[in-house]
Amino acid sequence: MADKAWSRRHRVLGNLLPGLVCLPLLILGLIYFKPEDPLSGPAIWLFVAFPIVGWIALNFLGLHQNAYLRRELARRLGFAGNPPSPERYFVGIARPKYRSILDPHEDLGFLIVHDDRLEFVGETVRVELPRDDIIQVRFRANPHAVVLLGRWISVEGLVKGTPVRLLIEPREKATLLGNLFAGEGLRQRLASWLSADSADGSRA
């Protein structure tokens, strides 16, 4: 069996690479810091630069090899070379019980918008949510939201009386900030798709 495209290595490097860029600034700041005169010398500027450079590095390096992962997963999942019909988006997802210190995304794959359902096809997770069972599409915070670089699109509903939720974050763009902005468009698209169900009279 081939190794997973969305490997532990990719998850680790998405956190490690931004740290390698910004942590030297913090270390140098601590080296130059003078407790008796904390506001003098280069230490204060290094401390100021540390979170700024870290934010920029996370934005650009946090999605390590994202374009490669999209191409490779499209190939493995049978989407390579096919036109996006039905409509689909490259995303990371998580189910509510998923927890990891490495990455908020449980799996990567493609969110497919069918007329009557949403479908996620990934390496390890496959989910279908009938449109009749979906109640709302809203935003929820995720770990990327702490640094203003992301958030979940939460698709929520009831399946046979049981609450369900699929947490989605776009990975269409190369940067976290780009995907944050793309998330607004995707949420609006899903909300429009859901409201069309009500407009055509198929939902009570």
Side-chain angles (χ1 to χ4, degrees), residues 81-99:
N82 296 328
S85 179
E87 180 183 356
R88 66 177 182 263
Y89 302 89
F90 184 51
V91 300
I93 63 97
R95 291 168 291 188
K97 292 183 179 180
Y98 176 74
R99 298 289 185 274

Side-chain angles (χ1 to χ4, degrees), residues 13-15 17-18 21 56-65 174 176:
L13 287 175
N15 294 301
L17 292 176
V21 172
I56 294 171
L58 180 61
N59 177 51
F60 285 100
L61 301 176
L63 300 180
H64 176 63
Q65 291 191 328
L176 286 169

